[in-house]
C-alpha cells in the first residue's frame, strides 16, 4: 500500500503522515505549502509541491508512485473567511476534490479517505450529534464539506472506490512541538497569541443559549485524530469492497469557550479575564459528537483530555514564538 496525503505538511496532515509512517504505512505527501511546513514531515516521506487543482500533476503522482489509497486533507477551513469568500471556498474545496477524484478514478485507486467536518451539521438542537443527525450547515465552509461528502460517495459508487468520510470536531494540541499549529485561527492559538502580546483573551459572544453563554465545542487532541486516520486507512486496506462510511471524530464531551480560556490560563499562568466581543458570523452555539460509531466500526477512542491538549499546544507555541 502507498498512501497519498494531500495537505500532508499542514498541522493536521503532518500528524497523520507521521502516525501512519510510524505504524509502517508507506506515505507520500502533496502540499502547495500555502499553510504547510516541509520540516514537519519525517525525512523518509517524499513531498511533492503542488495543488489538488492541478489534474495533470495528480495523474503523474498517482502513476509514478503507484498510489493505492488517498487521504485528502487539503482544503481551506476558516469559517469567517468562508463567509467573506464563498466562491474561493467552493472552487478550492469542492473543485479541488472533483479534480482529485477524477485522477483517482482514472488511476484505478480503490481507497479514499476524506477529511470532513462537524460544520456539516450546522446548529442541530440535540445533546449529542450522531452521524444520522440531519446536516444543515450554516456557513460556506460547512457547505463545501457536505458537498464534498456527496461527491466522494457518488464517485465511490460510480468507480468502485471504498470511501470513508471523517467528520472532525475541534482539533487542538500537538504530538511534538515541531508539529504544533502555527496559524492563529482556532481558539487555542488565538488565546496564546493574545497572551504572548500581553493582551487579554477574547471571547466572541457570551449570549448563546448555553450554560455559561459561550459556544460549546467537542475538542479532540490532534494525535488522537491522527490515530483515527490510521484506523480508517487500515479499515479501507482490509480488502474487498467496503462501500462508504461516515464517522464522527470527537470525544463526546462538551467544553465551553470560557472553560477553555480558564484551562489555558491555568496552563500558562496568565489568568487575566477575557474580553467579550460580538459574535462572529457562522458560529453555532453547541457542537458535541457522539463517538459511538468510531469505537464500533474503527475500534478507535480518543485517549487524551483537554489539559493535555493545552499543555502540548503551549509547548509547541513557545517553540515557534518568542
Amino acid at each position: 500500500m502507498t498512501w497519498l496525503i494531500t495537505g500532508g505538511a499542514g498541522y493536521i496532515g503532518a500528524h497523520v503522515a507521521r502516525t501512519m509512517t510510524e505504524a509502517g504505512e508507506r506515505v507520500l505527501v502533496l502540499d502547495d505549502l500555502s499553510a504547510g511546513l516541509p520540516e514537519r514531515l519525517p525525512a523518509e516521506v517524499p513531498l511533492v509541491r503542488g495543488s489538488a487543482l492541478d489534474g495533470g500533476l495528480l495523474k503523474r503522482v498517482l502513476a509514478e508512485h503507484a498510489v493505492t489509497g488517498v487521504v485528502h486533507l487539503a482544503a481551506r477551513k476558516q469559517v469567517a473567511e468562508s463567509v467573506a469568500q464563498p466562491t474561493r471556498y467552493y472552487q478550492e474545496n469542492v473543485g479541488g476534490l472533483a479534480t482529485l477524484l477524477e485522477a483517482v478514478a482514472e488511476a484505478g485507486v480503490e481507497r479514499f479517505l476524506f477529511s470532513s467536518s462537524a460544520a456539516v451539521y450546522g446548529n442541530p438542537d440535540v445533546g449529542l450529534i450522531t452521524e444520522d443527525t440531519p446536516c444543515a450547515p450554516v456557513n460556506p465552509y460547512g457547505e463545501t464539506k457536505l458537498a464534498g461528502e456527496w461527491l466522494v460517495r457518488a464517485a465511490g459508487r460510480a468507480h468502485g472506490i471504498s470511501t470513508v468520510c471523517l467528520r472532525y470536531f475541534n482539533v487542538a494540541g500537538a504530538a511534538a512541538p515541531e508539529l504544533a499549529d502555527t496559524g492563529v485561527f482556532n481558539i487555542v492559538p488565538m488565546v496564546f497569541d493574545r497572551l504572548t502580546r500581553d493582551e487579554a483573551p477574547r471571547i466572541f459572544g457570551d449570549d448563546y443559549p448555553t450554560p455559561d453563554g459561550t459556544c460549546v465545542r467537542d475538542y479532540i487532541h490532534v494525535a488522537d485524530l491522527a490515530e483515527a486516520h490510521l484506523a480508517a486507512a487500515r479499515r479501507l486496506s482490509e480488502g474487498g469492497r467496503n462501500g462508504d462510511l461516515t464517522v464522527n471524530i470527537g470525544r463526546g464531551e462538551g467544553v465551553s469557550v470560557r472553560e477553555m480560556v480558564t484551562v489555558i490560563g491555568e496552563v500558562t499562568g496568565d489568568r487575566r479575564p477575557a474580553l467579550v466581543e460580538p459574535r462572529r458570523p457562522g458560529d453555532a452555539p453547541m457542537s458535541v459528537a457522539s463517538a459511538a460509531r468510531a469505537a464500533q466500526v474503527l475500534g478507535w477512542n480518543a485517549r487524551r483530555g483537554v489539559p493535555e491538549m493545552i499543555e502540548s499546544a503551549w509547548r509547541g507555541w513557545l517553540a515557534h514564538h518568542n
Side-chain angles (χ1 to χ4, degrees):
M1 286 289 298
T2 298
W3 290 93
L4 171 65
I5 304 178
T6 68
Y11 165 53
I12 294 174
H15 280 88
V16 174
R18 179 174 293 196
T19 296
M20 293 183 68
T21 300
E22 290 177 349
E25 302 289 340
R26 186 180 298 114
V27 166
L28 163 73
V29 163
L30 174 77
D31 200 302
D32 66 6
L33 301 183
S34 59
L37 301 172
E39 55 268 27
R40 284 177 169 147
L41 296 173
E44 64 269 32
V45 173
L47 169 64
V48 177
R49 182 167 185 173
S51 167
L53 289 163
D54 188 340
L57 174 63
L58 292 171
K59 292 173 184 178
R60 291 195 299 274
V61 168
L62 293 173
E64 291 174 4
H65 294 270
V67 171
T68 52
V70 172
V71 180
H72 182 50
L73 295 100
R76 304 202 68 82
K77 61 176 184 176
Q78 303 307 322
V79 168
E81 183 183 60
S82 79
V83 174
Q85 303 178 39
T87 54
R88 181 183 187 186
Y89 268 66
Y90 272 87
Q91 180 183 36
E92 295 195 24
N93 290 6
V94 182
L97 174 60
T99 301
L100 175 59
L101 285 168
E102 286 180 356
V104 163
E106 183 175 317
V109 176
E110 297 181 345
R111 301 163 185 85
F112 196 93
L113 175 54
F114 178 59
S115 164
S116 189
S117 168
V120 301
Y121 294 114
N123 183 20
D125 187 18
V126 295
L128 287 179
I129 298 172
T130 74
E131 291 82 358
D132 297 321
T133 298
C135 293
V138 296
N139 52 65
Y141 168 67
E143 292 167 3
T144 64
K145 285 300 184 180
L146 182 57
E149 289 188 12
W150 294 341
L151 183 54
V152 166
R153 297 187 196 107
R157 291 190 295 269
H159 302 292
I161 304 168
S162 295
T163 66
V164 174
C165 297
L166 298 183
R167 291 174 174 168
Y168 308 171
F169 283 66
N170 290 60
V171 185
E178 64 271 19
L179 298 183
D181 189 359
T182 57
V184 186
F185 305 109
N186 301 318
I187 179 174
V188 175
M190 287 174 67
V191 175
F192 288 167
D193 180 60
R194 299 281 294 185
L195 297 180
T196 300
R197 291 188 284 113
D198 197 29
E199 297 175 357
R202 295 185 296 179
I203 291 175
F204 296 99
D206 65 349
D207 58 348
Y208 287 95
T210 60
D212 66 12
T214 66
C215 292
V216 172
R217 295 290 183 265
D218 189 333
Y219 295 93
I220 176 140
H221 198 296
V222 66
D224 284 326
L225 177 61
E227 290 168 3
H229 282 77
L230 175 62
R234 289 193 163 165
R235 178 183 169 91
L236 288 172
S237 300
E238 289 173 353
R241 183 75 176 92
N242 289 303
D244 59 75
L245 180 65
T246 302
V247 186
N248 287 339
I249 303 298
R251 296 171 59 245
E253 298 179 15
V255 181
S256 76
V257 171
R258 194 176 293 281
E259 288 171 333
M260 284 294 285
V261 170
T262 298
V263 176
I264 292 171
E266 292 169 352
V267 169
T268 64
D270 191 330
R271 296 177 174 85
R272 73 185 75 191
L275 300 175
V276 178
E277 299 192 359
R279 296 184 182 189
R280 296 182 302 184
D283 278 348
M286 182 172 292
S287 181
V288 181
S290 166
R293 182 179 293 181
Q296 178 183 4
V297 302
L298 299 181
W300 172 90
N301 286 285
R303 299 186 292 115
R304 301 162 179 90
V306 169
E308 188 171 352
M309 294 179 212
I310 303 304
E311 290 164 3
S312 63
W314 182 236
R315 288 192 295 270
W317 179 267
L318 293 177
H320 290 278
H321 300 81
N322 292 326

